[in-house]
Amino acid sequence: MNELKTNIEKYFTNDLSTYAFSNYPRDIKKDYYFELRDKISRDLIHIDGILSVYSMGNVGAPGISDLDFLIVVENDFSNKKLLEDYFSNLTDLDKYIAFVHYPFIAFEDNINNVLKILPLSNLNYEQGKKYDFSSEISENENITILSELSFLFYPNLFINILLMKNIDFRQSIQLLNAFRFPLEFILKYNEIKCFKQYIEKLDKIKASWKTLDKEELKKEIIILLKEALFVCYILIDEINKKIECIESKNIDLPSFNVIILNNYNHIKSLTYTVNIYYKYNRLVKFLPLNFIKPYTMLSENNSNIIFEYNTINMKINRNSEFMNRNKLYSDYSNNLTKNNLEDFVPYPFFFKNKKTSILKKVFYKIIKRLYK
């Protein structure tokens, strides 16, 4: 792993003058978060069709933290415009705190499956009807959620920030904080030193950002972004181990965007991700072969995955448990689409991509040849 760290240092500089920094966190009292949370909850419950309001998480770092909401709506909810207008008309300060994204949506008829569909935690009742969100989530399903997060975000989320060199102070710390979710799940089963060290360093920055001058905070964020990138690859290893033994039935899968490799290794993956970005101005993600198994959040007609056709049997396994998850995603996305609520999902899990262009297909053929 020392070689991986060396390559990360090689590709991503510590020279602060090469980065553009913006959106320094605001100094906001914790009590104001709670006042605003209560006000928004009271307001939302008066919108026709909203049955319940829950908040999520805790205000661990006032000025950096945001307020997240989950709203339970009727199956034929039709007041999207009122909901959009409400958040659009908040004051600048209130938007900063509570409008990083729209509330999550849950449909009343599917309330028992909400936590299987959306990776939410620390739900707190605020207004309206009370619901029991508890549902048994198997270890395989949890591993599936982690693999989905890897498909969608890791490690390229951090690679993108470091390559673009545009560092949004607040957003970067929020993204670094969100990364603790998959790490804490793995820590339930394995004591992994670098995971714990990462979380400790993150918590230290969250607790001390007000006392650091801007130059020191810039330095600490760059260091932590690179550490998060390193930890991403260790996380991929841990997920790969856990999904290695999943049993399943055969199903054909499609191609492009994430590249699934039989001869995967971290060093080559990082090297080609960076080189392809500089040559083609595109970010490409490489993941190990086992990540195909819990592939559920993208439709069978989606064009987001590419495989080494010469070395991998394309009859890839997926068991009935994962097929059930796929149906949950499908039903949820259909409800969102029917009610014109696609904008209220801050994750691209649920919607089919348009057919891949010929140019894009040619581009990914080039990438496949590069990865030898």
Side-chain angles (χ1 to χ4, degrees):
M1 287 303 167
N2 286 336
E3 186 180 357
L4 176 58
K5 287 185 175 180
T6 300
N7 275 269
I8 290 173
E9 292 300 323
K10 170 185 172 183
Y11 293 125
F12 309 111
T13 180
N14 285 328
D15 183 357
L16 298 181
S17 67
T18 65
Y19 297 93
F21 293 86
S22 62
N23 197 20
Y24 190 78
R26 303 184 191 183
D27 188 2
I28 305 171
K29 300 296 183 185
K30 195 169 188 176
D31 286 348
Y32 188 72
Y33 274 79
F34 298 143
E35 292 171 14
L36 182 60
R37 181 194 62 194
D38 294 344
K39 177 185 181 300
I40 290 175
S41 298
R42 289 193 303 270
D43 292 343
L44 290 179
I45 202 62
H46 288 107
I47 295 177
D48 190 36
I50 294 181
L51 304 173
S52 182
V53 181
Y54 283 76
S55 63
M56 288 177 289
N58 54 62
V59 184
I64 295 172
S65 299
D66 64 324
L67 291 176
D68 293 323
F69 295 93
L70 170 71
I71 58 175
V72 181
V73 300
E74 297 173 346
N75 289 325
D76 57 352
F77 180 72
S78 59
N79 273 323
K80 175 188 176 184
K81 184 68 166 58
L82 282 177
L83 198 52
E84 289 175 332
D85 288 347
Y86 178 80
F87 283 93
S88 297
N89 292 326
L90 292 173
T91 66
D92 177 67
L93 177 60
D94 292 354
K95 284 181 180 178
Y96 178 88
I97 295 173
F99 194 24
V100 174
H101 55 75
Y102 285 114
F104 292 86
I105 298 286
F107 297 96
E108 187 178 36
D109 281 2
N110 202 22
I111 206 71
N112 292 331
N113 292 316
V114 168
L115 299 187
K116 290 189 176 185
I117 298 169
L118 297 169
L120 310 178
S121 60
N122 297 328
L123 286 175
N124 306 296
Y125 168 79
E126 299 295 341
Q127 292 285 330
K129 295 172 66 175
K130 289 187 176 182
Y131 293 93
D132 180 7
F133 290 96
S134 62
S135 58
E136 186 173 341
I137 302 178
S138 69
E139 183 178 352
N140 275 357
E141 285 181 305
N142 276 317
I143 292 298
T144 302
I145 290 171
L146 295 190
S147 69
E148 288 164 358
L149 292 174
S150 295
F151 266 105
L152 291 166
F153 303 119
Y154 305 124
N156 282 25
L157 177 66
F158 301 122
I159 290 176
N160 182 57
I161 294 172
L162 290 165
L163 284 176
M164 296 296 291
K165 298 184 183 298
N166 290 316
I167 311 296
D168 180 310
F169 275 113
R170 185 196 185 201
Q171 184 184 64
S172 295
I173 298 173
Q174 287 180 332
L175 294 173
L176 289 164
N177 189 59
F179 184 48
R180 73 190 301 147
F181 164 75
L183 303 185
E184 287 174 342
F185 174 81
I186 296 294
L187 284 170
K188 293 177 184 177
Y189 301 94
N190 296 323
E191 283 287 316
I192 300 175
K193 186 176 180 181
C194 68
F195 287 14
K196 298 180 76 172
Q197 290 174 335
Y198 169 82
I199 292 171
E200 288 169 2
K201 291 176 183 178
L202 169 68
D203 287 341
K204 184 177 179 181
I205 288 179
K206 287 169 58 183
S208 64
W209 71 268
K210 291 182 184 179
T211 64
L212 298 174
D213 63 47
K214 284 190 179 181
E215 292 304 303
E216 187 64 25
L217 183 58
K218 289 176 183 178
K219 179 182 175 182
E220 292 298 324
I221 287 178
I222 296 299
I223 291 171
L224 195 59
L225 281 167
K226 292 200 288 187
E227 183 157 350
L229 177 56
F230 171 77
V231 171
C232 277
Y233 288 106
I234 311 305
L235 175 66
I236 288 171
D237 280 343
E238 292 302 313
I239 298 172
N240 194 40
K241 290 174 192 174
K242 286 192 169 294
I243 60 181
E244 193 168 21
C245 59
I246 291 174
E247 297 179 359
S248 40
K249 298 179 180 178
N250 289 339
I251 187 165
D252 288 320
L253 290 178
S255 60
F256 306 150
N257 267 4
V258 176
I259 301 182
I260 300 292
L261 295 164
N262 202 20
N263 63 335
Y264 172 90
N265 75 70
H266 298 322
I267 308 300
K268 288 178 74 174
S269 296
L270 175 62
T271 299
Y272 279 108
T273 298
V274 173
N275 289 345
I276 288 165
Y277 172 81
Y278 283 124
K279 187 169 184 178
Y280 298 102
N281 198 29
R282 292 191 186 218
L283 269 181
V284 177
K285 180 181 300 182
F286 299 89
L287 289 173
L289 173 62
N290 282 323
F291 275 69
I292 304 169
K293 292 182 180 179
Y295 173 92
T296 61
M297 74 290 185
L298 301 172
S299 75
E300 292 175 31
N301 296 319
N302 196 291
S303 54
N304 276 344
I305 310 296
I306 193 168
F307 303 95
E308 293 181 294
Y309 286 95
N310 294 331
T311 58
I312 297 176
N313 179 358
M314 290 304 295
K315 292 286 186 180
I316 304 301
N317 294 328
R318 187 195 293 170
N319 70 12
S320 58
E321 184 176 34
F322 299 142
M323 293 298 289
N324 289 339
R325 282 180 53 75
N326 202 40
K327 185 176 186 308
L328 291 179
Y329 284 134
S330 177
D331 290 346
Y332 183 64
S333 66
N334 288 340
N335 274 339
L336 289 167
T337 302
K338 180 183 70 176
N339 294 291
N340 196 28
L341 292 169
E342 293 96 333
D343 293 341
F344 287 76
V345 182
Y347 301 104
F349 286 177
F350 310 106
F351 306 106
K352 296 180 181 179
N353 285 359
K354 295 179 180 178
K355 191 173 181 180
T356 304
S357 68
I358 297 296
L359 182 62
K360 192 174 180 182
K361 289 182 179 180
V362 171
F363 168 72
Y364 282 109
K365 284 183 179 179
I366 292 171
I367 291 173
K368 279 208 303 181
R369 293 195 189 100
L370 283 174
Y371 197 95
K372 298 291 185 183

